[in-house]
Amino acid sequence: MRTSTADPGMRGDSGMLGAGMATHDLGRIGVWQAYPVATPEGVAELEQLGYGTLWLGASPSPDWDGFETLLAATEHITIASSIVNVWASSAKTAAENFHRLEARYPGRFLLGIGIGHPEHDSAFTKPYDALVNYLDELDEEGVPKERRALAALGPKVATLSRDRTAAALPYLTVPEHTASLRALLGPDALIATEHKALLDDDPDSARVKARTTVGFYLGLSNYTNNLRRFGFTDEDLTAPGSDRVVDALVAHGTPESVADQLTAHLRAGADHVAVQALDHDPLPALRTLAPLLTERAG
Protein backbone atom coordinates (compact mmCIF):
# COMPACT_ATOMS: atom_id res chain seq x y z
CA MET A 1 0.00 0.00 0.00
CA ARG A 2 1.44 3.33 -1.01
CA THR A 3 1.68 5.96 1.68
CA SER A 4 -1.38 8.17 1.67
CA THR A 5 -1.13 11.93 1.29
CA ALA A 6 -4.73 12.39 2.37
CA ASP A 7 -5.79 13.91 5.65
CA PRO A 8 -5.00 11.50 8.48
CA GLY A 9 -8.42 12.09 10.01
CA MET A 10 -9.99 9.89 7.35
CA ARG A 11 -6.98 7.78 6.35
CA GLY A 12 -5.09 7.77 9.63
CA ASP A 13 -3.23 4.69 10.84
CA SER A 14 -4.87 3.28 13.95
CA GLY A 15 -2.76 0.15 14.02
CA MET A 16 -3.35 -3.39 12.87
CA LEU A 17 -6.84 -4.79 13.09
CA GLY A 18 -8.65 -8.02 12.25
CA ALA A 19 -6.98 -10.61 10.04
CA GLY A 20 -4.08 -8.42 9.05
CA MET A 21 -5.97 -5.45 7.58
CA ALA A 22 -4.72 -2.10 8.82
CA THR A 23 -7.20 0.69 9.50
CA HIS A 24 -5.19 2.94 7.21
CA ASP A 25 -5.75 0.52 4.32
CA LEU A 26 -9.44 1.44 4.40
CA GLY A 27 -9.30 4.76 6.18
CA ARG A 28 -11.84 5.78 8.77
CA ILE A 29 -14.31 7.09 6.17
CA GLY A 30 -15.09 5.74 2.73
CA VAL A 31 -17.73 6.09 0.05
CA TRP A 32 -20.27 3.53 -1.16
CA GLN A 33 -21.45 3.95 -4.76
CA ALA A 34 -23.25 1.70 -7.19
CA TYR A 35 -20.57 0.66 -9.64
CA PRO A 36 -22.25 2.11 -12.78
CA VAL A 37 -22.08 5.58 -11.14
CA ALA A 38 -18.36 5.60 -10.36
CA THR A 39 -16.10 7.38 -12.85
CA PRO A 40 -12.30 7.66 -12.91
CA GLU A 41 -12.54 11.44 -12.50
CA GLY A 42 -14.99 11.18 -9.62
CA VAL A 43 -12.96 8.57 -7.76
CA ALA A 44 -9.79 10.62 -8.22
CA GLU A 45 -11.59 13.52 -6.56
CA LEU A 46 -12.77 11.32 -3.69
CA GLU A 47 -9.15 10.32 -3.14
CA GLN A 48 -8.09 13.97 -3.03
CA LEU A 49 -10.89 14.74 -0.59
CA GLY A 50 -9.40 12.15 1.77
CA TYR A 51 -11.84 9.27 1.52
CA GLY A 52 -9.95 6.05 2.15
CA THR A 53 -12.00 3.46 0.26
CA LEU A 54 -14.49 3.34 -2.57
CA TRP A 55 -16.99 0.51 -2.09
CA LEU A 56 -18.56 -0.48 -5.40
CA GLY A 57 -22.08 -1.72 -4.80
CA ALA A 58 -24.86 -3.32 -6.82
CA SER A 59 -23.02 -6.65 -7.03
CA PRO A 60 -20.42 -5.93 -9.71
CA SER A 61 -19.01 -8.98 -11.45
CA PRO A 62 -15.42 -9.61 -10.34
CA ASP A 63 -14.27 -9.54 -13.98
CA TRP A 64 -15.75 -6.05 -14.50
CA ASP A 65 -12.96 -4.04 -16.13
CA GLY A 66 -14.07 -0.91 -14.28
CA PHE A 67 -12.10 -2.00 -11.22
CA GLU A 68 -8.90 -1.66 -13.19
CA THR A 69 -9.99 1.64 -14.74
CA LEU A 70 -10.63 3.17 -11.31
CA LEU A 71 -7.39 1.84 -9.84
CA ALA A 72 -5.45 3.25 -12.79
CA ALA A 73 -6.98 6.71 -12.25
CA THR A 74 -5.93 6.91 -8.59
CA GLU A 75 -2.82 6.48 -6.45
CA HIS A 76 -3.74 5.11 -3.05
CA ILE A 77 -7.48 4.85 -2.46
CA THR A 78 -8.64 1.28 -1.82
CA ILE A 79 -11.20 -0.04 -4.33
CA ALA A 80 -13.49 -2.71 -2.89
CA SER A 81 -16.41 -4.73 -4.18
CA SER A 82 -19.52 -4.45 -2.03
CA ILE A 83 -20.39 -7.04 -2.94
CA VAL A 84 -19.63 -9.78 -5.45
CA ASN A 85 -22.68 -12.05 -5.22
CA VAL A 86 -21.59 -15.65 -4.64
CA TRP A 87 -24.60 -16.98 -6.56
CA ALA A 88 -23.73 -14.90 -9.63
CA SER A 89 -19.92 -15.22 -9.82
CA SER A 90 -17.82 -18.29 -9.20
CA ALA A 91 -15.03 -18.24 -6.64
CA LYS A 92 -12.60 -19.24 -9.39
CA THR A 93 -13.52 -16.18 -11.47
CA ALA A 94 -13.31 -13.93 -8.40
CA ALA A 95 -9.88 -15.33 -7.55
CA GLU A 96 -8.55 -14.97 -11.09
CA ASN A 97 -9.52 -11.34 -11.18
CA PHE A 98 -8.27 -10.65 -7.68
CA HIS A 99 -4.85 -11.93 -8.71
CA ARG A 100 -4.93 -9.87 -11.92
CA LEU A 101 -5.66 -6.68 -9.99
CA GLU A 102 -3.20 -7.55 -7.23
CA ALA A 103 -0.42 -8.02 -9.77
CA ARG A 104 -1.02 -4.61 -11.31
CA TYR A 105 -2.10 -2.64 -8.21
CA PRO A 106 -0.68 -4.46 -5.19
CA GLY A 107 -2.56 -3.97 -1.94
CA ARG A 108 -5.27 -1.73 -3.37
CA PHE A 109 -8.17 -4.07 -4.18
CA LEU A 110 -10.35 -5.68 -1.52
CA LEU A 111 -12.67 -8.51 -2.58
CA GLY A 112 -15.98 -8.05 -0.78
CA ILE A 113 -18.38 -10.96 -1.17
CA GLY A 114 -21.91 -11.65 0.00
CA ILE A 115 -24.83 -14.01 -0.23
CA GLY A 116 -27.41 -11.77 -1.88
CA HIS A 117 -31.13 -12.01 -1.12
CA PRO A 118 -33.59 -14.92 -1.22
CA GLU A 119 -36.09 -12.65 -2.98
CA HIS A 120 -33.66 -12.16 -5.90
CA ASP A 121 -31.53 -15.31 -6.08
CA SER A 122 -33.37 -18.42 -7.20
CA ALA A 123 -30.51 -20.68 -6.05
CA PHE A 124 -30.70 -19.28 -2.52
CA THR A 125 -30.41 -22.49 -0.46
CA LYS A 126 -28.32 -23.12 2.64
CA PRO A 127 -26.70 -19.67 2.37
CA TYR A 128 -24.25 -20.17 5.25
CA ASP A 129 -22.90 -23.36 3.70
CA ALA A 130 -22.60 -21.59 0.35
CA LEU A 131 -20.48 -18.87 1.94
CA VAL A 132 -18.23 -21.40 3.66
CA ASN A 133 -17.75 -23.31 0.41
CA TYR A 134 -16.98 -20.10 -1.47
CA LEU A 135 -14.39 -19.08 1.11
CA ASP A 136 -12.87 -22.56 0.95
CA GLU A 137 -12.52 -22.16 -2.82
CA LEU A 138 -10.92 -18.74 -2.39
CA ASP A 139 -8.43 -20.37 -0.02
CA GLU A 140 -7.64 -23.00 -2.63
CA GLU A 141 -7.18 -20.28 -5.26
CA GLY A 142 -4.73 -18.37 -3.06
CA VAL A 143 -6.82 -15.31 -2.15
CA PRO A 144 -5.55 -14.32 1.33
CA LYS A 145 -8.18 -13.90 4.00
CA GLU A 146 -6.83 -10.43 4.82
CA ARG A 147 -7.69 -9.32 1.27
CA ARG A 148 -11.35 -10.25 1.31
CA ALA A 149 -14.39 -9.11 3.32
CA LEU A 150 -17.87 -10.45 3.93
CA ALA A 151 -21.29 -8.80 4.01
CA ALA A 152 -22.59 -9.61 7.49
CA LEU A 153 -25.70 -8.78 9.47
CA GLY A 154 -26.57 -11.67 11.77
CA PRO A 155 -24.22 -13.11 14.39
CA LYS A 156 -23.43 -16.36 12.57
CA VAL A 157 -22.21 -14.74 9.36
CA ALA A 158 -20.54 -11.92 11.31
CA THR A 159 -18.51 -14.51 13.21
CA LEU A 160 -17.61 -16.15 9.90
CA SER A 161 -16.42 -12.79 8.60
CA ARG A 162 -14.10 -12.45 11.60
CA ASP A 163 -12.70 -15.95 11.29
CA ARG A 164 -12.35 -16.20 7.52
CA THR A 165 -11.96 -12.64 6.16
CA ALA A 166 -10.51 -9.25 6.96
CA ALA A 167 -13.75 -7.44 7.72
CA ALA A 168 -17.48 -7.54 8.37
CA LEU A 169 -19.51 -5.33 6.04
CA PRO A 170 -22.88 -4.43 7.62
CA TYR A 171 -25.29 -2.58 5.32
CA LEU A 172 -28.55 -0.69 5.95
CA THR A 173 -28.21 -0.67 9.69
CA VAL A 174 -27.97 1.41 12.84
CA PRO A 175 -25.26 2.20 15.40
CA GLU A 176 -26.87 -0.16 17.91
CA HIS A 177 -26.16 -3.00 15.50
CA THR A 178 -22.57 -1.82 15.10
CA ALA A 179 -22.19 -1.88 18.88
CA SER A 180 -23.63 -5.38 19.06
CA LEU A 181 -21.18 -6.60 16.41
CA ARG A 182 -18.28 -5.10 18.32
CA ALA A 183 -19.41 -6.88 21.49
CA LEU A 184 -19.79 -10.14 19.59
CA LEU A 185 -16.62 -10.04 17.53
CA GLY A 186 -14.24 -8.57 20.08
CA PRO A 187 -11.79 -5.68 19.91
CA ASP A 188 -9.66 -6.90 17.00
CA ALA A 189 -12.25 -7.58 14.30
CA LEU A 190 -12.55 -4.99 11.54
CA ILE A 191 -16.07 -3.59 11.06
CA ALA A 192 -16.82 -1.40 8.03
CA THR A 193 -20.41 -0.14 8.14
CA GLU A 194 -22.37 1.48 5.30
CA HIS A 195 -24.76 4.35 6.04
CA LYS A 196 -26.86 6.55 3.76
CA ALA A 197 -26.93 10.33 3.78
CA LEU A 198 -28.86 13.30 2.40
CA LEU A 199 -27.95 16.95 2.91
CA ASP A 200 -31.47 18.31 3.36
CA ASP A 201 -32.48 20.12 6.54
CA ASP A 202 -36.20 19.91 5.75
CA PRO A 203 -37.23 16.61 7.42
CA ASP A 204 -40.33 16.14 5.27
CA SER A 205 -38.42 16.70 2.03
CA ALA A 206 -35.55 14.47 3.15
CA ARG A 207 -37.89 11.63 4.09
CA VAL A 208 -39.62 11.74 0.72
CA LYS A 209 -36.25 11.39 -1.02
CA ALA A 210 -34.99 8.76 1.42
CA ARG A 211 -38.05 6.54 1.02
CA THR A 212 -37.23 6.03 -2.67
CA THR A 213 -34.25 3.97 -1.52
CA VAL A 214 -35.36 2.69 1.88
CA GLY A 215 -38.66 1.31 0.58
CA PHE A 216 -36.84 -1.03 -1.78
CA TYR A 217 -34.70 -2.53 0.98
CA LEU A 218 -37.70 -3.03 3.25
CA GLY A 219 -38.82 -5.67 0.77
CA LEU A 220 -35.73 -7.78 1.57
CA SER A 221 -36.06 -10.09 4.56
CA ASN A 222 -32.42 -10.20 5.62
CA TYR A 223 -32.51 -6.45 6.30
CA THR A 224 -35.91 -6.35 7.98
CA ASN A 225 -35.10 -9.37 10.16
CA ASN A 226 -31.94 -7.64 11.31
CA LEU A 227 -33.72 -4.36 12.06
CA ARG A 228 -36.30 -6.20 14.17
CA ARG A 229 -33.44 -7.21 16.47
CA PHE A 230 -33.01 -3.54 17.31
CA GLY A 231 -36.58 -2.65 18.17
CA PHE A 232 -38.14 -1.81 14.83
CA THR A 233 -41.69 -3.09 14.43
CA ASP A 234 -43.68 -4.49 11.53
CA GLU A 235 -45.34 -1.08 11.28
CA ASP A 236 -41.93 0.62 10.99
CA LEU A 237 -40.74 -1.88 8.39
CA THR A 238 -43.77 -1.94 6.10
CA ALA A 239 -42.63 -0.22 2.89
CA PRO A 240 -42.04 2.63 2.37
CA GLY A 241 -41.16 2.75 6.08
CA SER A 242 -42.09 4.85 9.09
CA ASP A 243 -40.45 8.19 9.81
CA ARG A 244 -38.62 6.44 12.64
CA VAL A 245 -36.94 3.83 10.45
CA VAL A 246 -36.21 6.29 7.64
CA ASP A 247 -34.53 8.68 10.09
CA ALA A 248 -32.49 5.82 11.53
CA LEU A 249 -31.30 4.49 8.18
CA VAL A 250 -30.65 7.75 6.31
CA ALA A 251 -28.71 10.55 7.98
CA HIS A 252 -30.31 13.84 6.95
CA GLY A 253 -30.22 17.44 8.06
CA THR A 254 -27.49 20.06 8.02
CA PRO A 255 -23.98 18.98 6.99
CA GLU A 256 -22.87 19.09 10.63
CA SER A 257 -25.82 16.99 11.78
CA VAL A 258 -25.29 14.43 9.01
CA ALA A 259 -21.60 14.12 9.84
CA ASP A 260 -22.49 13.51 13.49
CA GLN A 261 -25.04 10.84 12.53
CA LEU A 262 -22.58 9.05 10.23
CA THR A 263 -19.77 8.98 12.75
CA ALA A 264 -22.09 7.56 15.40
CA HIS A 265 -21.02 4.19 13.96
CA LEU A 266 -17.40 4.97 14.82
CA ARG A 267 -18.40 5.88 18.35
CA ALA A 268 -20.35 2.60 18.54
CA GLY A 269 -17.28 0.56 17.62
CA ALA A 270 -16.92 0.58 13.83
CA ASP A 271 -13.47 1.05 12.35
CA HIS A 272 -14.79 2.51 9.11
CA VAL A 273 -17.97 4.09 7.78
CA ALA A 274 -18.88 3.95 4.08
CA VAL A 275 -21.04 6.96 3.20
CA GLN A 276 -23.70 6.45 0.54
CA ALA A 277 -24.88 9.89 -0.60
CA LEU A 278 -28.35 9.42 -2.07
CA ASP A 279 -28.29 12.41 -4.40
CA HIS A 280 -28.38 11.77 -8.15
CA ASP A 281 -24.89 13.34 -8.23
CA PRO A 282 -23.27 12.36 -4.93
CA LEU A 283 -20.08 14.40 -5.33
CA PRO A 284 -21.38 17.80 -4.07
CA ALA A 285 -22.56 16.27 -0.79
CA LEU A 286 -19.34 14.29 -0.41
CA ARG A 287 -17.29 17.45 -0.98
CA THR A 288 -19.25 19.26 1.73
CA LEU A 289 -19.03 16.37 4.18
CA ALA A 290 -15.33 15.60 3.72
CA PRO A 291 -13.84 18.20 6.13
CA LEU A 292 -16.57 17.59 8.71
CA LEU A 293 -16.04 13.84 8.63
CA THR A 294 -12.28 14.33 8.82
CA GLU A 295 -12.72 16.37 11.98
CA ARG A 296 -15.05 13.86 13.61
CA ALA A 297 -13.22 10.69 12.54
CA GLY A 298 -9.95 11.52 14.26
Side-chain angles (χ1 to χ4, degrees), residues 57-247:
S59 298
S61 170
D63 59 2
W64 178 56
D65 61 10
F67 288 120
E68 192 153 355
T69 302
L70 299 178
L71 287 162
T74 53
E75 295 184 0
H76 51 71
I77 193 170
T78 298
I79 305 295
S81 57
S82 180
I83 45 75
V84 167
N85 187 321
V86 304
W87 302 115
S89 298
S90 72
K92 183 175 178 59
T93 298
E96 288 172 350
N97 288 283
F98 168 82
H99 289 304
R100 174 177 58 85
L101 295 171
E102 178 66 10
R104 295 204 62 182
Y105 304 96
R108 293 190 54 211
F109 177 69
L110 179 66
L111 177 63
I113 66 170
I115 201 65
H117 310 287
E119 294 84 359
H120 292 171
D121 298 296
S122 59
F124 198 97
T125 56
K126 298 184 178 178
Y128 183 84
D129 291 345
L131 284 174
V132 171
N133 292 338
Y134 202 92
L135 292 167
D136 288 345
E137 291 183 60
L138 291 179
D139 287 343
E140 292 169 4
E141 296 292 336
V143 178
K145 83 175 206 177
E146 65 269 17
R147 305 299 307 287
R148 60 203 196 198
L150 182 60
L153 290 174
K156 190 173 182 181
V157 176
T159 301
L160 183 67
S161 76
R162 178 194 63 195
D163 296 342
R164 300 290 305 275
T165 79
L169 309 178
Y171 184 94
L172 197 82
T173 191
V174 292
E176 292 82 359
H177 180 222
T178 297
S180 75
L181 289 176
R182 177 56 66 204
L184 171 71
L185 300 179
D188 296 329
L190 185 57
I191 300 171
T193 303
E194 177 272 350
H195 203 100
K196 295 166 179 56
L198 276 168
L199 296 187
D200 187 339
D201 59 7
D202 179 335
D204 293 333
S205 170
R207 288 168 183 149
V208 168
K209 298 172 189 173
R211 281 190 170 95
T212 302
T213 297
V214 170
F216 166 77
Y217 288 109
L218 296 183
L220 301 175
S221 59
N222 55 342
Y223 295 123
T224 55
N225 289 341
N226 184 60
L227 290 166
R228 285 187 180 92
R229 296 183 181 112
F230 300 95
F232 293 97
T233 66
D234 289 345
E235 182 178 357
D236 290 320
L237 299 173
T238 299
S242 68
D243 287 354
R244 176 178 176 236
V245 77
V246 168
D247 292 350

